[in-house]
Amino acid sequence: MAKLYFYYSSMNAGKSTILLQSSFNYRERGMETMLWTAAVDDRYGHGLIVSRIGLEAEAHLFDAGTDMFAGIAAQHAQTPLSCVLVDEAQFLNMAQVWQLAAICDRLGIPILCYGIRTDFQGQLFEGSAALLGVADTLTEIKTICECGRKATMNLRVDGEGHPIREGEQTEIGGNDRYVALCRRHFVERRSGH
């Protein structure tokens, strides 16, 4: 039985690197994969999954109106897929997560989703919340805080490194905008202590 997997972490844990390595492993064995990433994330150009260590691959784009089931099923009908991998999965909506689950259940294709769990205020993203509830397998990818503990939170910062406490849930950025911290240091930095 195909499963829906959710690999989650804070920022800068290597999710895109792991996704690209997983796709490579399938392709190296002659199996077809299909990659997806969020259209809203254009840091490296549209239609690319890029890791901080320099790996990259072309990917299909999704936004709030994308029918994931239809797009994947159409590709599978042309070229049978062995796996579908979704980067920036926190930007999926509830309906899309259920579409991905249907791909597993009805078409027998494993779906591997990679994303961050919470935003800069410690709130779940819609896609992450849905995946935490629906996925067959949940796996935390660990990274470390500046203190050496496990980082679980994403602190949004301004150009001088000061914490941002309010704003839109989604603001695309990397190391210039976000710092992965343990909960203790996240709370301390947000409160100014």
Side-chain angles (χ1 to χ4, degrees):
M1 177 181 118
K3 292 184 178 181
L4 175 59
Y5 298 84
F6 182 36
Y7 298 91
Y8 64 91
S9 71
S10 58
M11 299 280 294
N12 302 322
K15 294 175 297 299
S16 297
T17 301
I18 296 168
L19 180 153
L20 292 168
Q21 181 65 52
S22 296
S23 179
F24 176 82
N25 291 346
Y26 275 95
R27 290 181 172 275
E28 186 178 44
R29 290 163 183 80
M31 300 176 190
E32 288 295 320
T33 63
M34 185 177 197
L35 307 181
W36 290 84
T37 192
V40 69
D41 186 356
D42 60 0
R43 286 177 288 171
Y44 307 107
H46 278 81
L48 286 176
I49 297 173
V50 179
S51 72
R52 293 186 335 268
I53 64 171
L55 302 174
E56 67 179 60
E58 292 184 8
H60 298 267
L61 295 173
F62 70 85
D63 60 25
T66 303
D67 183 331
M68 300 296 287
F69 188 92
I72 295 166
Q75 181 67 38
H76 185 60
Q78 292 178 0
T79 306
L81 297 168
S82 296
C83 185
V84 174
L85 301 101
V86 181
D87 201 23
E88 305 295 345
Q90 69 271 13
F91 297 128
L92 294 165
N93 59 42
M94 178 72 75
Q96 290 168 326
V97 169
W98 281 103
Q99 290 166 5
L100 294 175
I103 290 290
C104 295
D105 298 341
R106 294 172 41 198
L107 300 182
I109 304 169
I111 307 286
L112 284 62
C113 294
Y114 297 80
I116 58 177
R117 185 177 57 165
T118 59
D119 66 14
F120 76 108
Q121 295 179 326
Q123 300 297 312
L124 289 169
F125 284 93
E126 179 180 356
S128 300
L131 284 161
L132 287 168
V134 174
D136 299 295
T137 301
L138 304 171
T139 304
E140 182 180 24
I141 301 171
K142 295 174 180 66
T143 192
I144 58 168
C145 176
E146 56 201 23
C147 70
R149 287 189 221 134
K150 180 174 73 168
T152 58
M153 310 300 290
N154 304 298
L155 180 72
R156 185 183 292 169
V157 295
D158 64 17
E160 288 80 45
H162 301 110
I164 304 292
R165 292 173 186 84
E166 296 181 7
E168 295 294 318
Q169 183 178 45
T170 300
E171 184 174 313
I172 301 303
N175 292 344
D176 60 324
R177 300 295 296 152
Y178 294 94
V179 179
L181 298 171
C182 67
R183 184 179 58 239
R184 175 183 167 195
H185 286 112
F186 173 80
V187 170
E188 286 177 1
R189 294 266 300 268
R190 280 182 53 92
S191 66
H193 294 104

